[in-house]
Amino acid sequence: MNSLLREVRFLLSLRSVVLAICCLFLLTAVSVGAGLAEIARQRATIARIEPQQKADVAAVAAWASKGRDPGDAAYYTFHATWDPPSDLAFAAIGTRDVSPYVLRVRALGLEAQLYEGEIGNPEAALPGRFDFAFVLVYLAPLFVILLFHDLRSGEREAGRLRALEASVGSTFELWGARVAVRAAGLFLALAIPFLVGAALAGTAPWKIGAVLAVVLAYLAFWIVLCLVVARAARSSLANAMTLAAAWMTLTLIIPAIGHIAINSAVPLQQGMELGVKQRTAVHRAWDIPKSETMDAFFRTHPEWKDTAPLTEAFHWKWYFAFHQVGDETAGDLARRYHDGVLERAAWSERLGLVTPGVATQLALHRLAATDPAAQIAYQDRIRAFHGQLGGFYYPYLFRDKPFDRADFDRAPAFQPAFDAGTWPGLLLAGVIVMTSLVAGFGWLRSKAASAWRSL
Amino acid sequence: MSVILSVAHNELRHLVRSRVALTGLILVALLTFAAALTSRAYQADQAALRERLQHAADQDFAAQPNRHPHRVVHFGHFAIRPASGLAAMDPGVEAYTGNMIFLEGHRQNSANFGDARQSSLLVRFGQLSPALVLQVIAPLLLVFIGAGMVAGERERGTLRQSLLAGVSGGALLAGKGLALGAAALAISSPAFALLLWLAVSGGARLSAVLLSAGGYLAYLAVWTLVIIAVSATARRSRSALIALVGAWTFAVVLTPRISPELAASLAPLPTRVETDIAVQRDLRAMGDSHNPNDPYFAAFKQKTLKAYGVARVEDLPVNYRGLLAVEGEKLTSSLFNRYSNQAFAAMEAQGRLMDALAVISPTMAIRRLSMTLSETDLFAYRRFLEQAEAYRYDLVQRLNRLQATAVTAADDADKSKSAAAEARSRISADHWRAMPHFNPVRPSAADVVSRAAPAFLVLLAWLAAAAFFVTRAGRRLNGSAA
């Protein structure tokens, strides 16, 4: 206990160390603040859209209800869907800044509507968000390196090492206390702003616990790596260089190369091809006999088989049927696109098992439900909702039931789901295993070194 | 001069001897090489894919059967953004913008399938490209190599010896700067080789290549000089390292990432949904072409009748529905353009704010310079969207005019009731085959250079400031020896 207090006093007297910890604290605070501001902006947008959407539907209803034609109603009414941010999204914004979190759809072919982009400034998205996950994954290790690279070598270079080691009872106690105090300083610099942000955002306690566990595991990895490197009796600067190279490799280079490898192993050209195929399938219907389209439609929707047959004249039910058939024609590509995005995510998770930075990044985004899987889940919810829209409009269209003013209010409303996030157990285990591997390697090497000296 | 060279020579020898520093250098040089290679391969791949898709879309469009022209308006077309010449050097916003846009009547769609949306979260720090290595990674490596160059000698006491032996502070720092600069050149040479290759193989313009290379040289020189100056000023290499890592964090990481937050709060952007709703609202306010009593379209009808000198719509020599379609498209398009111009104006205001931050971070300046010259910036993207929109408008209006002139009013009116009228309302497929292809035009070299010039000047100003800083540090060294 005494040694801890002494180390705290010693630490407080080291200006550069205190400065570094304050700096990390400030960066974390800024990132949490920026994350909270962005999430507040997204919530405000979702809230702002609701009355506008209501007014839009009312205006469509005002004129479409005059003709009472269900086709007009189904064709002109857009239905809003939205994906509210989770209680942890402020800490890891993920893909929420490049993919839409509000999208309107109508009962027409979904594949032509689902991938609509958002109006965003791409130059602003380019550098990436400055959120808590970013500070933790990319910046915190740099501070670990600054604080730990010369733990022992710094004393040696200052000529104090022997005196220092002689003055304390056990060298383990000395270095243990020194490591613990510095680690605690870094941990608090990260945890305090995060906890304030979590309190403001109302984050679920288990998620707070999970984030703190991830922070601890990730810091532990870097501290252990620093200690292993620092054991080799080299100069402080050489240690710093080695650790900086490790940082670049683990946080920049391996993920960037992994990204290239994954994207070329799982190519997603289906996206663009999907658009072309769906469009062609939809418009072919104008040039083929209507019965061909209807037969294809009845194969998947037999419940409408016995409704009134089509005549020569245009009928909306045929129009909606060929949109449905168009979706089904592109269904295979859509599924492959859907699975491809998830497969890319799965591969990056595998990379995370051996790269602590990647694991930490993915763990936070999984907890915050802001990763590509969450984006796909939102698309799935839109798909299900689009199915409900069909179920709502088809009875009117196929039974020639007039669509009245009041029917507009009966349309299904989108139910946003609150993705609770999942406990990133495997990723966390990956970080811990990597930490133990590094520690084990360091231990073996120091044993080998002492064996060498004793010869 | 020989003193400077001998200092530089000594320093380089140290560098090569220090296994760690040498490994770092080789590692980053290899990384630059890998980045250049993969980026080039990826861009070539993309170029082929996009060309293939555009070709397929052109063929699909031309292969349509005889149709009513309005069917073709809805069949629409695809515009695919061609890859730009220097994108292999700096992909810029490529991953964040869609590359394919569906062009159809009555709607202005967004460009879809941007890479960032469909990729895992691995590269939230930036995609591996030569630009990323030179802008972000190279300065950090230089910091770790150079932080101790002077401060380390001070700690060991050899600095005072050199100064007492008559080496001037200026010459000493020049020598160290030369050595660090050589290291910078070594790690960035694969990127410069790529630039050269792009110029030779014809993808990029010489002016862009030269200015880009000049910009990166200035950027790396700024870092080299700042590192040497800080190392000469700091008492210990540890504090030099902390200060320089701090400067790197601030200039390379913090400023670029915080600037969008500032920009977003100063010039907020509407969402697509809000814009769609607003466009629909404005359209309803403008008039309803289906309503015979609508004031706007009643006036349009009167104007049309007067122009043709007839009293009734039935007496018009053309199909009135086609004229309505032309007028309707004109109205909707002008609304779309108004909203899209508003959004782009907001984005450009954001961009100006971010550019202004180049005063506190040279990284902002090199990013702007590099993206502009690579034609992968917002401006280039806007240019693509505007050319696609102009093409869409022209195509749709050609088809609408065909509806007015090649489809009779009677057939048009009866086509949804009688199959015979429907068949007569179809016009020859030769019309689609004769439509022009989407052929976006690149901005002129002079245009690109003039837009890149301000960022280049900012970099030169940074270079001058860094040179001033290092000269002063050199003079202070002379003073400290005396």
Side-chain angles (χ1 to χ4, degrees), chain A residues 178-213:
Chain A
R178 196 160 276 196
V179 168
V181 167
R182 291 185 185 205
L186 288 173
F187 178 73
L188 290 178
L190 288 161
I192 292 172
F194 168 72
L195 286 173
V196 172
L200 289 175
T203 311
W206 76 268
K207 280 192 213 172
I208 299 182
V211 171
L212 294 182

Side-chain angles (χ1 to χ4, degrees), chain A residues 25-184:
Chain A
F25 177 84
L26 271 180
L27 288 170
T28 315
V30 170
S31 75
V32 167
L36 286 170
E38 173 60 22
I39 292 306
R41 203 158 32 229
Q42 297 193 358
R43 282 192 199 282
T45 305
I46 293 175
R48 203 166 61 226
I49 279 170
E50 206 197 319
Q52 295 179 25
Q53 167 65 21
K54 273 212 175 95
D56 188 60
V57 172
V60 170
W63 78 262
S65 60
K66 283 184 212 144
R68 303 176 76 204
D69 186 338
D72 282 343
Y75 184 87
Y76 289 102
T77 313
F78 283 89
H79 302 263
T81 75
W82 61 97
D83 185 25
S86 76
D87 53 1
L88 187 59
F90 76 92
I93 289 166
T95 62
R96 287 189 70 91
D97 60 342
V98 290
S99 58
Y101 52 87
V102 279
L103 192 80
R104 297 203 308 166
V105 292
R106 49 181 172 165
L108 295 180
L110 181 65
E111 296 304 326
Q113 309 178 63
L114 195 55
Y115 311 101
E116 195 73 7
E118 191 46 86
I119 303 175
N121 185 349
E123 279 182 4
L126 176 63
R129 284 278 162 196
F130 190 73
D131 53 13
F132 177 75
F134 176 79
V135 171
L136 175 65
V137 172
Y138 295 100
L139 299 186
L142 283 177
F143 285 89
V144 174
I145 293 173
L146 287 181
L147 257 57
F148 286 87
H149 76 278
D150 62 347
L151 203 58
R152 209 151 169 268
S153 55
E155 298 296 350
R156 193 177 57 234
E157 281 156 17
R160 285 195 300 256
L161 185 62
R162 298 221 171 246
L164 197 65
E165 287 190 338
S167 75
V168 289
S170 110
T171 53
F172 182 78
E173 201 179 303
L174 165 74
W175 299 118
R178 196 160 276 196
V179 168
V181 167
R182 291 185 185 205

Side-chain angles (χ1 to χ4, degrees), chain B residues 43-54:
Chain B
Q43 289 298 335
D45 227 39
Q46 276 286 307
L49 170 69
R50 294 188 202 173
E51 202 166 311
R52 185 164 61 75
L53 280 169
Q54 183 70 65

Side-chain angles (χ1 to χ4, degrees), chain B residues 50-351:
Chain B
R50 294 188 202 173
E51 202 166 311
R52 185 164 61 75
L53 280 169
Q54 183 70 65
H55 188 67
D58 286 343
Q59 269 186 337
D60 281 354
F61 187 83
Q64 293 178 84
N66 294 352
R67 267 180 181 167
H68 186 283
H70 195 67
R71 294 274 59 78
V72 182
V73 166
H74 281 283
F75 184 77
H77 208 329
F78 287 96
I80 291 144
R81 183 175 172 207
S84 91
L86 270 181
M89 179 68 190
D90 186 349
V93 301
E94 289 264 293
Y96 295 88
T97 60
N99 297 314
M100 182 176 91
I101 179 161
F102 180 46
L103 312 173
E104 59 178 325
H106 327 312
R107 275 181 78 77
Q108 212 176 52
N109 292 313
S110 64
N112 294 340
F113 301 109
D115 238 9
R117 248 187 100 177
Q118 53 198 33
S119 294
S120 55
L121 288 164
L122 289 176
V123 290
R124 295 305 277 166
F125 201 95
Q127 281 171 298
L128 185 61
S129 69
L132 177 85
V133 180
L134 295 194
Q135 291 174 16
V136 175
I137 300 179
L140 189 66
L141 181 76
L142 295 180
V143 162
F144 277 96
I145 291 179
M149 271 191 173
V150 188
E153 289 214 32
R154 179 176 283 131
E155 277 170 342
R156 289 190 296 273
T158 47
L159 180 67
R160 206 173 154 74
Q161 284 172 18
S162 306
L163 293 171
L164 288 175
V167 178
S168 83
L172 190 86
L173 295 193
K176 304 259 177 195
L178 208 59
L180 195 58
L185 275 184
I187 52 181
S188 51
S189 55
F192 291 122
L194 174 72
L195 275 177
L196 191 70
W197 160 251
L198 289 173
V200 170
S201 65
R205 296 176 175 127
L206 194 61
S207 59
V209 166
L210 288 177
L211 209 52
S212 182
Y216 277 109
L217 283 177
Y219 177 71
L220 292 173
V222 169
W223 276 106
T224 305
L225 294 178
V226 167
I227 290 166
I228 295 296
V230 169
S231 182
T233 316
R235 267 195 307 151
R236 299 188 54 195
S237 41
R238 177 202 170 83
S239 30
L241 188 65
I242 290 187
L244 285 167
V245 169
W248 178 85
T249 309
F250 179 80
V252 177
V253 178
L254 193 61
T255 311
R257 279 175 187 256
I258 283 297
S259 64
E261 305 281 346
L262 294 175
S265 49
L266 282 172
L269 287 171
T271 56
R272 176 163 298 281
V273 167
E274 285 171 287
T275 308
D276 279 351
I277 293 176
V279 167
Q280 291 308 322
R281 194 181 52 221
D282 290 0
L283 279 178
R284 277 192 290 268
M286 205 173 267
D288 173 7
S289 65
H290 296 286
N291 180 359
N293 301 322
D294 181 81
Y296 181 87
F297 284 95
F300 174 72
K301 189 162 133 188
Q302 287 313 316
K303 207 176 75 190
T304 310
L305 294 177
K306 218 172 121 190
Y308 282 95
V310 292
R312 298 184 316 151
V313 165
E314 290 75 17
D315 300 333
L316 283 171
V318 291
N319 176 5
Y320 184 62
R321 281 169 180 249
L323 298 184
L324 269 183
V326 170
E327 181 68 12
E329 195 63 44
K330 200 175 94 193
L331 292 178
T332 50
S333 296
S334 74
L335 263 185
F336 294 142
N337 290 341
R338 204 176 82 211
Y339 279 98
S340 118
N341 286 339
Q342 269 172 17
F344 272 115
M347 286 182 216
E348 274 156 20
Q350 295 182 343

